[in-house]
Amino acid sequence: MNVMNDSPRRKELTRQAAQLFVQEGFDRTTVRMLAEEMGIKSGSLFHHFRDKQEILAAVIEEGTRNALAIAHAALEACDRDPEARLQAMARAHLETLLTDRNAHVVALYEWRRLDDDARAHLGHLRDAYEALWETVIDEALAAGLIQGDRFLVSRFVMGALNWTVRWYDPEGERSPEELGRELVAMLMVPRV
Amino acid sequence: MNVMNDSPRRKELTRQAAQLFVQEGFDRTTVRMLAEEMGIKSGSLFHHFRDKQEILAAVIEEGTRNALAIAHAALEACDRDPEARLQAMARAHLETLLTDRNAHVVALYEWRRLDDDARAHLGHLRDAYEALWETVIDEALAAGLIQGDRFLVSRFVMGALNWTVRWYDPEGERSPEELGRELVAMLMVPRV
DNA sequence: CATTCACACTAGCGCTTGCTTGGTTAGCCT
DNA sequence: AGGCTAACCAAGCAAGCGCTAGTGTGAATG
C-alpha cells in the first residue's frame, strides 16, 4: 500500500507540501490541494504518506534535521572562543532560513497539529537543537561575555531567534554572516 | 438577524472562544464545539457573530485593545527616564498575560486565518502597540541605555517578548514586575 | 517472456463542516 | 394587557473533507 522510506521523490513532495502549509496553514490545506501542487491526484498521495499528519511530520523533521546538521557543522568549523561559537550558531540559524524557511515556519506554527507520537519523536530533535544553543550560551555566560540569568537569557535568545522567521530575508541586504555578528554584538557586554 | 455590538454577553462568549482556539486551533474548533462551550446550540451562535471569522477577530481585538490600554496607562504612571519606561512596558506586557493570555496566543498563532478586512483593521491596532515599544526603545537608544541598530533591537525585543507567551507563567514565582526588571537589565549596557 | 514493483489513476463512501431557516421563549417598556 | 426585542432552539442543507478500494502502466528484475 504505502512506504515510509525517504526516497528523493518523497523529499520533493515534502518540500512542496511545506510551501502550501505556509500559505494556507495545515488544516486548511486539503489533500486535494496538496496533490494538485504535486501534479498528481489526491489518491496517489497516500502511496507516499500514510496519512495527512505524516506529511506534516515529514516537513518538520526535514527542516529540523537540516538546522541541526548545519549548526553542528558550523560549530566544528569555527574557533573555540565563546564569541565565535555564538556567532557561528547565529549565522547557521539564519542560513537555514535560506533553504528551509517554509519548514521552519511550519514547525513554529503547526507544531500542535502533530499527533502524540510525532510530537514525541520530533520533540527530541528540537531539544537537541536547543541544547546546542544552551551549551554555547552557557559558555558565553561562564566567560562573562554576556550577563543575566541562564534560564532567562536562553528563553530570550530562542524567542528572538524564532522570530527572525517573520522578518529576516536571507536574500536581502544583510547576509546571515553579517546579521549574526550584529545579533551577538547586541547581546554582549561591551568591552571597556 | 444578528448584531455586532459589544454587549457583555458577547464579551463573555469571546473569552470562552479564545480558550477553545488556544486548545484546538482556530480551524479545528467547530462552531458546534464553540456553542457547547458557551452552553448554547450551534445555530444560536450566529445571533452574536456574523460568522466564525468574526469570532476570531473579536478575540484578537479584545486582547490587543487591553494590551494597548495597559501599556498606555503604565507609561503615564511611571517616571520619565528611559529605563523606567522600558521596565513599565515590559511589566505591562507580562501583566496582560495574566488576564489575556489566550487572546495573545490566538493573535500570535491564528493571525493568518483572519480575512483581509479584519487583518487590515487589527493590523492598525497592533501597529499602535508596536509603535509604543519603538518609541520607548528609541528613547533608550538615544540615552545610551542600550546599544545596537534601531531596527534590529526592535525586532529582537518584539521576538523575545512575543515568545514569553510560550513559557512565562504569570502566577508562578516571578512577578511581572520582577521579570520585567530582569528583561530590561539584560538588554542594558552595564554601568561602569 | 513472466513477474514484480513503484507509481499513478478513477470513483466514491461516510462523515463533518459552516451556516440558514423558521419558529419559540422570557423579560422589559408602555 | 399587549407589543417589542434579544436570545435561543431544532432541523437540516450543500459543500467539502480525509481516506479507501480497485485498477492500469511502464520500467526493472528473474
Side-chain angles (χ1 to χ4, degrees):
Chain A
M1 190 88 88
N2 53 29
V3 275
M4 310 194 300
N5 63 358
D6 41 16
S7 62
R9 180 87 177 111
R10 186 173 145 128
K11 234 171 197 155
E12 171 61 14
L13 297 181
T14 301
R15 225 184 44 79
Q16 290 175 300
Q19 164 83 19
L20 260 180
F21 286 162
V22 169
Q23 272 177 36
E24 309 286 333
F26 175 70
D27 290 314
R28 284 173 115 87
T29 304
T30 71
V31 293
R32 282 166 246 260
M33 290 163 68
L34 286 165
E36 191 171 5
E37 181 83 7
M38 297 168 178
I40 58 180
K41 300 294 177 174
S42 73
S44 313
L45 214 159
F46 295 90
H47 172 74
H48 300 279
F49 303 93
R50 197 193 324 269
D51 53 25
K52 194 186 163 189
Q53 289 251 10
E54 200 183 84
I55 309 180
L56 178 60
V59 167
I60 296 181
E61 174 150 10
E62 177 74 10
T64 312
R65 273 198 199 286
N66 286 350
L68 199 49
I70 292 188
H72 265 125
L75 278 185
E76 281 175 23
C78 76
D79 287 351
R80 291 261 172 274
D81 72 288
E83 183 176 346
R85 286 166 71 79
L86 262 181
Q87 274 175 18
M89 282 297 285
R91 200 200 68 232
H93 184 92
L94 295 167
E95 268 173 5
T96 62
L97 291 188
L98 193 73
T99 51
D100 288 309
R101 165 176 235 124
N102 286 336
H104 289 119
V105 174
V106 170
L108 186 56
Y109 285 99
E110 314 287 357
W111 184 263
R112 345 179 87 233
R113 273 68 184 178
L114 291 168
D115 58 54
D116 290 344
D117 287 347
R119 189 150 37 200
H121 171 226
L122 296 175
H124 290 131
L125 266 184
R126 200 177 66 170
D127 287 350
Y129 183 70
E130 294 198 2
L132 223 52
W133 266 99
E134 281 179 9
T135 311
V136 177
I137 288 176
D138 278 345
E139 291 167 4
L141 280 170
L145 208 65
I146 57 181
Q147 56 176 344
D149 174 74
R150 179 187 181 277
F151 173 85
L152 219 59
V153 172
S154 173
R155 303 285 161 154
F156 203 74
V157 170
M158 289 315 291
L161 220 55
N162 280 308
W163 201 248
T164 54
V165 114
R166 302 251 300 209
W167 57 270
Y168 177 58
D169 174 14
E171 315 209 44
E173 287 181 18
R174 296 187 228 233
S175 69
E177 173 78 35
E178 189 186 340
L179 191 55
R181 249 199 315 273
E182 292 188 66
L183 280 175
V184 172
M186 236 185 72
L187 269 179
M188 278 173 42
V189 176
R191 288 289 131 80
V192 276
Chain B
M1 191 85 92
N2 53 29
V3 275
M4 309 194 300
N5 63 357
D6 41 16
S7 62
R9 181 84 177 110
R10 186 174 143 126
K11 242 183 187 138
E12 172 60 15
L13 297 181
T14 301
R15 223 185 45 79
Q16 290 175 300
Q19 164 84 19
L20 261 181
F21 286 163
V22 168
Q23 272 177 36
E24 309 285 335
F26 176 69
D27 290 314
R28 286 173 114 86
T29 305
T30 71
V31 293
R32 280 164 247 261
M33 290 163 69
L34 286 165
E36 191 171 5
E37 181 83 8
M38 296 168 179
I40 58 179
K41 300 296 176 177
S42 71
S44 313
L45 216 158
F46 295 90
H47 172 75
H48 300 280
F49 303 92
R50 196 194 321 270
D51 53 26
K52 193 186 165 192
Q53 289 251 11
E54 200 182 84
I55 310 179
L56 177 60
V59 167
I60 296 182
E61 174 150 10
E62 177 75 8
T64 312
R65 274 199 199 286
N66 286 351
L68 199 49
I70 293 186
H72 264 127
L75 279 185
E76 280 175 23
C78 76
D79 287 351
R80 291 262 172 275
D81 71 288
E83 183 176 348
R85 286 165 72 77
L86 262 181
Q87 274 174 20
M89 282 296 287
R91 200 201 67 233
H93 184 92
L94 294 167
E95 268 173 4
T96 63
L97 291 188
L98 195 72
T99 52
D100 288 310
R101 167 180 231 121
N102 286 337
H104 289 120
V105 173
V106 170
L108 185 56
Y109 285 99
E110 315 286 358
W111 183 264
R112 345 178 90 233
R113 273 70 184 177
L114 291 168
D115 57 54
D116 291 343
D117 286 349
R119 188 151 38 198
H121 171 225
L122 296 175
H124 290 132
L125 266 184
R126 200 178 65 171
D127 287 349
Y129 183 70
E130 294 198 2
L132 222 53
W133 266 99
E134 282 179 7
T135 311
V136 176
I137 287 176
D138 278 345
E139 292 167 3
L141 280 170
L145 208 67
I146 57 181
Q147 56 176 344
D149 174 75
R150 179 186 180 277
F151 174 85
L152 218 60
V153 172
S154 173
R155 304 285 161 151
F156 204 73
V157 170
M158 289 314 293
L161 220 56
N162 280 308
W163 201 248
T164 54
V165 113
R166 302 251 301 210
W167 57 268
Y168 178 59
D169 173 14
E171 316 208 44
E173 287 181 18
R174 297 186 227 233
S175 69
E177 174 78 35
E178 190 185 340
L179 191 54
R181 248 200 315 274
E182 292 189 65
L183 280 175
V184 172
M186 237 186 71
L187 268 179
M188 278 174 41
V189 176
R191 286 290 130 80
V192 276

